[in-house]
Amino acid sequence: MLKGCYLLFLIIMVCHCKKKSASESSPKEQATEEIDTKNDLTGKGEDKNDTLNKSIFMLLVNLEKEFIFQASMTFQSPATEFSSVKSRIVSFKKDGNSLLMLESSQGNSVEGSTQQGILLAKFALVEEKEDGIHFDFNEGMSQLFLMGDLFAEDIQGKEFNAGDKWSSLEFNESWVSSVNNNSDYKQYIIVQKGQLKSRDLSGLNRLFPITVDYNLRLYKPNPSFRAVRSLAKNHVGFFEVSPQLREGGGDTILYSSKFHIDESKPIIYQISSNTPSEYIEAIKNGVLYWNRVFGKEVLKISSQNESSDNHLIQWVDWKNASYAYADMSMDPRIGEILKAKVFLTSAFAFDAKVQARMFLANLEDSDPLAFELNSLADYDYSKLKTPDQFDKVQQEISKNIDDLFDEGKQLNIKNASQSLSIRGFSPIKYCTMHYGAKQFAHYLAASEHSHLTEQHILRISQGMITAVVAHEVGHNLGLRHNFAGSLGTSYGSEEFATEYESYVSDDKIFSKVLTNTVMDYPTSKNSSALGSYIRKGGGALSYDKKAIGVLYQGNALVEDDNNYFCTDTHLELYSDCDVFDSGDSVFSRTKWAEKKAIDGMPVLLAEIFSRCSEM
C-alpha cells in the first residue's frame, strides 16, 4: 500500500519592491502599470510570470476543435507502478474568464452530436492574447477520473455505465511540475503531481502520492484503421474499448482493442535501461515471438535512445512482488491501441539457490489472510497466492458490505487499495503469477536438485522471463487469457517431467507441443520450457495464430477446431479450465500429482529438516 506523502512545493513569491507614488510617476509609467493589472486574470500581481510558466497556451483557432485527452497515473510506493485511465475526446470552450473542457457527447448520449458536451473541468484564465489564451490546468484538474481504458464485456457487462465512466477521486494537494508543447500548439505533455484523497471504512483520510502524465493533442482518427466489433468469448477472447451509445437508439456498440498494423511503421518496444544485461535477450525473444504469429515483422525492439513514441517493457527490481501486468491506452471511439506498456518485476529472475530460499522465506513470513474489516481499503491484495485465499477475503467483504453502505460509508476497494487491475476484475493485480514464481523457487531450493549450477538456474529463469513477456505483449496486442492452453499439449505429465530434466541438464529442445498458447498461466516448469521453445525458434502456437488471424487479419472464426478456449469468467464453470495446471487432461494430471506426492515424501521431509536446521 501507499504510505506517507509527497512534500509539497509551496511557491510563494513576495514582492517588496518600493513603488513610486502616483504623483511621482510619469503618465507613461502609470499607463503601463494599469495595463498590467487589467490583463492579470490571476489576481496575483507579479506572480503572473510564474503562473504563466505552468499554464497551457491554447490557440483561439483550436477552441471547440476535438482533442484526444489521455492520462497515465503512476504510484511510486512501494515501487513505481503505472496504469492508464480512460482516453476521452474533448473540446474547449471559452466562458467569460474561464475555459471549459467538455467531453464529446458522441458515444456518451443517445442524442449524440445534438447535445452539448459533458463538462469535465473548468479552468481559470491566466492571460488573454490576440491569438490565444493561457489557462491554469492544475486548478481545473482537481480530480482524477479513474475508469481504465481496458474493458471486458463478459465481466463488466455490455451496457453503457455512466456511473463508472465519470467516477473520480479528488486531489488533496496538486501542482503542475512541467508543461511541454510542440511549436504549433497541437500537442501538450503535462505532468501533474499530488495526493489523491480517499477515506477508508473507518472514516480516516487516505492520501495517495501520485504522478499523472497527461497527453493532450488534436484528434485525428486513423483513416486506415479497421475497427472490429466485439466477438463472443466462447471460442476466442479480446479486450474491448468501453461501450458507446448509438445515437438515435440507445443500444451499445463494442469494439475490440487492437493496434493498427502498418508495415512502414512497426510496433516498436524499448526495454527500460535498468534491465539486467543477462535478461535483455530473454525479453527480446518474448516480444519478437509475435512476429512468427503474424507471419511477418510487425514488432521491433528499439536499439536507440529511449523515445516517448515507443512502447515500453519496464523492469522493476522487486522480487517479492512476483507478478507482471500489461497496460494500454486507446482511441475511445474505434479501439485503436495507441500506447502499450508491460510491468515486469524481477521476481522470476533467480540466478542462484540462495535467492530462491530468500524469496520463499519472504513469502511465508506472514499470514496472507490476516486483516481487519475496517482496514480493507488498505489491505495488500498482493499477499494472496491462491484463488481460495482470494475467495475467503471476498466472502468476508460480502458479509459486511450491505451494513457498510447503510452507514453511508463509501467502499471503493479497487481504487483505495491501489489496484491497477482492470476495473471489474478482482482487486489483485491483473495477470498475477504469484505461485508460479513460488513453484519455481521451491523447485530451485529443493534438495533433490542440488546438482543445478547457477548456469542452469539462470537459463531456466531466462526461459520464464521470455514466456512472461510473450504473455504480456499478447495482452498489449488485445488478446485475453486462454486458460485452456494446457489442453493443447502432446505430453503426458510423466513424459513431460522426463524431458524437462533433459532440458534443465543439457538444454535439449522439446520434441512435442507444449501448449497451444502463451496466453495461459502455465506452471513454472511449463513456463521455462515454453521460453526455451521460443528461444530456439519454435513456431507460432495454434491458438495465438488463430486469435491474431481473427482480430488483425480478418479471418473467419472457426468454432469446431481443437483450439480449446476458456478465459477468466469460465474458471468456475469447467474442471479443465484452470490456472497453473499442466497435462492434456484433469485425470492424467491428478494421477501424476498423486504419484509425485508419494514418491517425493522422503525428499520433502529431508527439505523440511534442512530448512528447520538453518533457522
Side-chain angles (χ1 to χ4, degrees):
M1 290 301 304
L2 297 171
K3 297 182 184 295
C5 63
Y6 287 123
L7 294 176
L8 301 179
F9 293 90
L10 303 179
I11 305 175
I12 304 175
M13 299 180 64
V14 182
C15 179
H16 297 288
C17 299
K18 183 178 179 181
K19 296 183 179 180
K20 295 180 181 179
S21 66
S23 60
E24 293 175 316
S25 302
S26 66
K28 183 176 180 181
E29 289 174 322
Q30 290 183 43
T32 301
E33 206 167 297
E34 288 173 1
I35 291 171
D36 284 344
T37 302
K38 183 178 179 181
N39 284 347
D40 182 7
L41 302 179
T42 68
K44 300 177 183 177
E46 292 189 9
D47 285 347
K48 181 178 67 176
N49 288 335
D50 182 70
T51 305
L52 282 173
N53 290 336
K54 297 297 175 63
S55 69
I56 294 179
F57 180 71
M58 175 74 66
L59 291 172
L60 293 178
V61 296
N62 286 333
L63 291 182
E64 303 195 33
K65 289 184 178 178
E66 288 191 328
F67 283 76
I68 184 168
F69 187 52
Q70 297 176 290
S72 177
M73 54 183 176
T74 304
F75 294 90
Q76 294 179 309
S77 176
T80 301
E81 299 192 46
F82 45 76
S83 181
S84 296
V85 296
K86 179 171 177 52
S87 303
R88 302 171 188 269
I89 305 300
V90 302
S91 60
F92 295 86
K93 181 178 180 179
K94 188 175 180 298
D95 181 31
N97 286 339
S98 302
L99 186 70
L100 308 181
M101 183 169 73
L102 306 171
E103 182 170 0
S104 171
S105 295
Q106 181 178 335
N108 293 317
S109 169
V110 295
E111 299 170 278
S113 57
T114 63
Q115 189 187 57
Q116 184 180 1
I118 299 161
L119 181 65
L120 292 182
K122 182 178 180 181
F123 306 103
L125 300 187
V126 177
E127 184 179 70
E128 294 188 66
K129 294 186 176 181
E130 290 185 2
D131 60 341
I133 52 180
H134 286 272
F135 63 93
D136 187 340
F137 181 86
N138 181 65
E139 180 186 15
M141 292 307 299
S142 58
Q143 58 187 349
L144 178 65
F145 295 101
L146 295 165
M147 186 175 187
D149 250 351
L150 286 176
F151 191 84
E153 54 90 9
D154 56 319
I155 295 176
Q156 294 158 278
K158 296 182 179 180
E159 300 305 316
F160 180 88
N161 189 328
D164 274 351
K165 187 160 188 179
W166 291 288
S167 62
S168 65
L169 285 180
E170 291 184 1
F171 281 102
N172 179 59
E173 297 285 354
S174 65
W175 69 97
V176 169
S177 63
S178 67
V179 176
N180 294 295
N181 52 264
N182 56 8
S183 58
D184 57 2
Y185 297 101
K186 293 182 178 179
Q187 182 172 5
Y188 306 84
I189 306 296
I190 307 146
V191 179
Q192 183 184 32
K193 296 179 181 290
Q195 302 164 318
L196 282 180
K197 181 171 62 176
S198 183
R199 291 182 182 272
D200 65 13
L201 299 181
S202 62
L204 295 176
N205 286 331
R206 298 290 183 185
L207 299 179
F208 302 98
I210 192 172
T211 297
V212 188
D213 294 277
Y214 293 99
N215 189 320
L216 177 69
R217 66 185 184 279
L218 279 175
Y219 178 57
K220 294 181 179 180
N222 185 349
S224 302
F225 182 79
R226 186 181 66 86
V228 175
R229 294 292 292 269
S230 178
L231 297 169
K233 303 296 185 298
N234 296 325
H235 301 277
V236 71
F238 309 120
F239 289 115
E240 296 105 353
V241 69
S242 297
Q244 301 172 70
L245 288 172
R246 190 191 299 276
E247 184 175 349
D251 54 327
T252 56
I253 306 170
L254 270 173
Y255 290 116
S256 295
S257 58
K258 65 170 191 169
F259 279 101
H260 174 60
I261 304 301
D262 183 348
E263 293 184 7
S264 65
K265 190 178 180 182
I267 300 168
I268 300 177
Y269 276 90
Q270 68 185 42
I271 301 171
S272 62
S273 57
N274 65 323
T275 305
S277 58
E278 60 268 30
Y279 291 102
I280 295 289
E281 196 63 28
I283 292 173
K284 288 181 179 178
N285 290 335
V287 174
L288 300 181
Y289 158 76
W290 289 98
N291 287 336
R292 300 175 215 169
V293 180
F294 280 98
K296 59 184 178 181
E297 187 177 58
V298 171
L299 296 89
K300 286 187 175 181
I301 301 293
S302 173
S303 58
Q304 302 175 354
N305 294 332
E306 295 185 358
S307 168
S308 59
D309 294 330
N310 294 340
H311 309 288
L312 179 65
I313 309 289
Q314 179 65 59
W315 180 276
V316 178
D317 191 13
W318 188 16
K319 285 199 181 303
N320 292 342
S322 71
Y323 60 85
Y325 64 84
D327 182 66
M328 299 95 81
S329 60
M330 60 199 73
D331 185 318
R333 285 183 178 164
I334 57 179
E336 181 184 3
I337 296 172
L338 304 172
K339 194 71 175 178
K341 298 178 183 177
V342 171
F343 178 91
L344 180 66
T345 65
S346 60
F348 305 98
F350 298 103
D351 56 19
K353 279 181 172 293
V354 65
Q355 291 182 346
R357 289 185 181 278
M358 290 173 61
F359 175 74
L360 288 173
N362 286 329
L363 282 183
E364 297 166 1
D365 187 47
S366 60
D367 179 6
L369 299 180
F371 66 95
E372 296 179 5
L373 185 63
N374 63 4
S375 64
L376 278 176
D378 222 14
Y379 183 67
D380 183 4
Y381 284 89
S382 66
K383 293 179 180 179
L384 303 180
K385 306 301 185 297
T386 69
D388 288 340
Q389 291 176 349
F390 174 69
D391 288 344
K392 185 174 179 179
V393 173
Q394 290 296 85
Q395 289 168 9
E396 196 68 31
I397 295 171
S398 299
K399 286 190 300 183
N400 295 273
I401 195 167
D402 292 337
D403 293 339
L404 291 170
F405 275 116
D406 289 342
E407 293 172 12
K409 295 180 178 178
Q410 185 178 9
L411 178 65
N412 195 348
I413 295 173
K414 292 183 182 65
N415 300 318
S417 66
Q418 192 211 334
S419 169
L420 303 185
S421 61
I422 301 169
R423 287 179 61 82
F425 279 72
S426 62
I428 56 177
K429 296 291 187 299
Y430 185 65
C431 236
T432 307
M433 292 189 178
H434 287 287
Y435 44 101
K438 187 175 181 180
Q439 286 176 350
F440 184 39
H442 274 300
Y443 172 76
L444 296 182
S447 57
E448 65 178 307
H449 297 294
S450 58
H451 66 284
L452 293 180
T453 66
E454 292 189 6
Q455 182 180 3
H456 291 136
I457 294 172
L458 178 60
R459 175 158 38 81
I460 298 170
S461 176
Q462 288 167 334
M464 289 190 69
I465 292 291
T466 294
V468 170
V469 170
H471 179 102
E472 301 305 338
V473 172
H475 284 317
N476 281 169
L477 291 167
L479 274 60
R480 289 278 299 276
H481 287 135
N482 179 5
F483 296 132
S486 56
L487 299 179
T489 184
S490 299
Y491 283 105
S493 298
E494 187 168 359
E495 183 183 12
F496 171 77
T498 301
E499 206 159 317
Y500 185 80
E501 293 307 318
S502 296
Y503 151 67
V504 170
S505 301
D506 305 315
D507 198 20
K508 288 185 178 179
I509 192 168
F510 289 86
S511 59
K512 294 185 178 181
V513 177
L514 291 162
T515 178
N516 68 12
T517 180
V518 300
M519 302 312 298
D520 198 352
Y521 279 179
T523 65
S524 55
K525 290 183 179 180
N526 286 78
S527 186
S528 62
L530 180 56
S532 172
Y533 169 86
I534 293 173
R535 170 172 59 88
K536 295 189 175 186
L541 300 174
S542 58
Y543 173 80
D544 299 339
K545 196 169 183 65
K546 170 185 174 178
I548 289 296
V550 171
L551 183 60
Y552 284 90
Q553 297 161 353
N555 295 348
L557 176 60
V558 179
E559 300 182 357
D560 58 352
D561 60 19
N562 292 322
N563 274 308
Y564 305 107
F565 172 77
C566 71
T567 193
D568 305 74
T569 45
H570 300 138
L571 283 174
E572 300 297 324
L573 300 178
Y574 309 106
S575 58
D576 54 358
C577 176
D578 204 357
V579 296
F580 304 107
D581 57 357
S582 61
D584 56 357
S585 75
V586 174
F587 304 107
S588 64
R589 181 165 62 247
T590 302
K591 181 179 178 180
W592 172 247
E594 290 178 352
K595 181 178 184 301
K596 283 290 290 181
I598 295 171
D599 293 346
M601 189 65 69
V603 175
L604 176 62
L605 292 174
E607 176 64 19
I608 293 173
F609 177 79
S610 173
R611 292 186 65 188
C612 289
S613 64
E614 293 174 0
M615 296 178 63

